[in-house]
Amino acid sequence: AQTVTQSQPEMSVQEAETVTLSCTYDTSENNYYLFWYKQPPSRQMILVIRQEAYKQQNATENRFSVNFQKAAKSFSLKISDSQLGDTAMYFCAFMRGNAGNNRKLIWGLGTSLAVNP
Amino acid sequence: KAGVTQTPRYLIKTRGQQVTLSCSPISGHRSVSWYQQTPGQGLQFLFEYFSETQRNKGNFPGRFSGRQFSNSRSEMNVSTLELGDSALYLCASNPSGSMGNEQFFGPGTRLTVL
């Protein structure tokens, strides 16, 4: 069974600095998708960034980028120039690529990130 | 386009009762998934519906059920509520349920079981 581990329950960073959130996963699959979702306090979950496992190039979305190490099964999120609005719970999630009828997101327990002024 | 809406936003029930939660996906989205979020277990997949058919199911007891209507709106029902069912229930939609697609989440229904 697939599992997703986020080893940092809480992190903090000063505004304008860079922070990296860790995520490791376990799977025997070769084709899959990885996601980072953000859940701000009392607000809706939104997608931050997505990575297809067959793509070697790391995904980037503005200030957000990932370091995808397929062999190490590691998928870390780097937030550059942190802003107060980045304060949120961040979840790493996995989905099998050949899921058939087992198409679901498997989630880590999350990292609570606080951006301090 | 309106986002995913969930009703009610908050619900308080007592043990043994049953509850029905509703989710309206983004217009044009045919896939609706439900997740349970608790501090201890995190986010766990309940089920996914596509074109009125349950396509995927998580590892929850039969007390948890759902359905989807022809307009893609979905409901989930929990019967014989237990204290452990207290959680935030999230609904997510995407256009076709294709693998790797972004899921668009609603604000959730906070269920408290007393």
Side-chain angles (χ1 to χ4, degrees), chain A residues 33 35 37 39 42-47 50 89 91 95-109, chain B residues 4 35 37 39-45 48 55-59 88 90 97-103 105-107:
Chain A
Y33 300 85
F35 306 83
Y37 277 88
Q39 189 176 38
S42 302
R43 292 179 61 190
Q44 289 167 237
M45 186 93 72
I46 57 172
L47 177 69
R50 173 179 58 206
M89 198 75 173
F91 294 95
M95 181 182 285
R96 293 169 60 195
N98 299 316
N101 288 330
N102 192 26
R103 195 186 330 241
K104 62 181 180 182
L105 282 169
I106 298 167
W107 301 80
L109 290 180
Chain B
V4 177
Y35 295 88
Q37 185 177 17
Q41 299 293 320
L43 283 137
Q44 293 186 288
F45 172 78
E48 182 213 3
R55 190 161 65 173
N56 294 285
K57 189 176 189 305
N59 297 322
L88 181 67
L90 295 172
S98 295
M99 291 175 287
N101 275 6
E102 174 182 359
Q103 302 255 14
F105 283 83

Side-chain angles (χ1 to χ4, degrees), chain A residues 36-75:
Chain A
W36 279 98
Y37 277 88
K38 166 185 176 181
Q39 189 176 38
S42 302
R43 292 179 61 190
Q44 289 167 237
M45 186 93 72
I46 57 172
L47 177 69
V48 175
I49 200 164
R50 173 179 58 206
Q51 176 82 43
E52 293 97 330
Y54 63 86
K55 288 187 177 179
Q56 291 187 334
Q57 186 172 7
N58 289 325
T60 298
E61 289 287 343
N62 301 314
R63 299 183 294 107
F64 299 88
S65 61
V66 298
N67 183 5
F68 174 47
Q69 301 289 327
K70 190 172 184 178
K73 297 179 183 175
S74 171
F75 183 60

